[in-house]
Each structure stands twice: as structure tokens, then as C-alpha cells.
Amino acid sequence: MKIHTPVQRLCQFLAGCALAIHSLSAIAQTPAELARKNACMACHGLVHKQVGPGFAQIAERYRGDAEAAARLAGKIRNGSVGTWGRVIMPRQTQVSEADAQVLAQWILSQPVPR
């Protein structure tokens, strides 16, 4: 049986706390932070088109569509072409399915552009 000193126990406790805090900080990302982290903002504006449509434009198109979130999450991960003209939405396979769902819900929650 291995005997741990109080200092060793404290170090183990602190290491466990650090891991827990790191895990919580990853979970606590806002959808906007998630969009920036995954470079969504490189092609999409919040309101207006950059390379692809603005998030508010996407929300306006799909407003009232109960299945839009699932379809958008799929387009985030699998890419698409032709929905907004000839612009290609490349696959974003680095985005987890759960994060794609969060991003899709956030995009659909954007206010109507003015």
C-alpha cells in the first residue's frame, strides 16, 4: 500500500481542480465564441453577406421551419452548395455534432436584419 503525504494529496487535489476548471471552461463557451473559434466569422457576418450569407439572413430564410436546426447542423458539418447561389460551404468536420447543433440554434435565433 502506498502512503501519500499531505503535500502529495494537495497536489493531486489541485491537479483534479485544474482539470475540472478546464473542462468547465470548454463547456461554458458562448455560441458566438464557438463561431469565432471555428472560423465561421471568416465567411459569415452577423447580419450581412461576406463570402456566405449573414447569420441574420439565414435566420430570416428559415424562420418558422421546425426542422431547420437539424438541417443547418448537417450543413455545418457536411458542407453544401447551391442553397445561396454558387457559393460553396465547405465541410467543417472539426465541429462536433453537438457544437453544430448549438451553432445552428444560435444562428436561427438571430434577429431580422434591418
Side-chain angles (χ1 to χ4, degrees):
M1 178 191 310
K2 191 172 186 179
I3 299 174
H4 294 285
T5 67
V7 172
Q8 288 173 322
R9 287 184 187 161
L10 178 61
C11 288
Q12 290 173 340
F13 173 75
L14 292 175
C17 288
L19 284 173
I21 289 169
H22 177 72
S23 296
L24 288 175
S25 69
I27 293 169
Q29 281 185 331
T30 67
E33 291 168 337
L34 193 58
R36 279 190 280 285
K37 176 185 130 193
N38 288 291
C40 302
M41 308 305 252
C43 294
H44 298 276
L46 285 175
V47 178
H48 301 291
K49 178 180 179 177
Q50 289 180 327
V51 174
F55 294 141
Q57 293 172 307
I58 297 168
E60 183 176 23
R61 177 177 280 188
Y62 294 107
R63 204 163 312 282
D65 182 346
E67 297 178 12
R71 279 200 319 277
L72 286 178
K75 288 182 181 197
I76 290 168
R77 289 197 27 89
N78 302 318
S80 72
V81 65
T83 306
W84 295 88
R86 296 176 63 172
V87 176
I88 295 170
M89 166 72 181
R91 293 177 188 199
Q92 305 298 317
T93 55
Q94 81 282 1
V95 178
S96 70
E97 289 185 27
D99 285 351
Q101 284 289 332
V102 168
L103 286 167
Q105 291 290 342
W106 177 69
I107 291 166
L108 292 171
S109 74
Q110 298 304 302
V112 175
R114 299 188 191 270

